[in-house]
Amino acid sequence: MALSQQDVNLIGYVAATLTTISFLPQLIRVVKLRSARDISLGMFLIFSVGTLFWFLYGLLSHSLPVLIANAITLALSVSILILKLRFDRRAVVATQPAGAPR
C-alpha cells in the first residue's frame, strides 16, 4: 500500500493535533484550580526539553507537522511548568509561619 506524501503529511497532522491538544485539559485544570501540586516537575522538565529537541528536529528536517506540533506543545508544556513553579512557590509561602524567613 503506497501512500502519497500528502496522505503521509495528513497522518502527521492528525497525530500532531491529537497529541498537542492532549495538554489543554491539564493546562485548563491547573489554571482553574490554581494548583499544579499533582504534576511532576521532573517529568515536565524532561518532557519540555524533549519537545524542544523534536521542534529542532522538525525545523532541521523541514517536517512541518513535527515543527508545528512541537512548537505548540512546547508552549503548552512550558506554560504548565511556569504555573507549577508559581503555584508551588505560593503554596510554600502560604504554609510558612508569620515572620519566618522566605
Side-chain angles (χ1 to χ4, degrees):
M1 176 174 140
L3 295 175
S4 70
Q5 188 59 44
Q6 185 176 359
D7 290 338
V8 171
N9 282 342
L10 179 62
I11 290 169
Y13 283 116
V14 170
T17 299
L18 293 173
T19 57
T20 298
I21 65 172
S22 71
F23 279 88
L24 284 175
Q26 186 67 63
L27 181 58
I28 291 167
R29 182 177 188 274
V30 167
V31 170
K32 183 188 280 188
L33 297 177
R34 302 192 62 77
S35 172
R37 181 182 54 204
D38 296 333
I39 294 175
S40 167
L41 178 62
M43 179 270 181
F44 262 88
L45 281 171
I46 293 167
F47 180 82
S48 295
V49 171
T51 303
L52 174 63
F53 277 92
W54 274 116
F55 171 80
L56 293 173
Y57 172 80
L59 185 67
L60 296 171
S61 66
H62 307 287
S63 175
L64 202 54
V66 173
L67 180 69
I68 292 170
N70 285 288
I72 296 168
T73 302
L74 184 60
L76 293 172
S77 67
V78 168
S79 297
I80 292 169
L81 271 173
I82 290 168
L83 291 173
K84 174 158 181 63
L85 293 172
R86 181 181 299 160
F87 293 151
D88 283 0
R89 188 173 333 128
R90 286 184 190 162
V92 168
V93 170
T95 60
Q96 290 181 346
R102 294 180 185 192

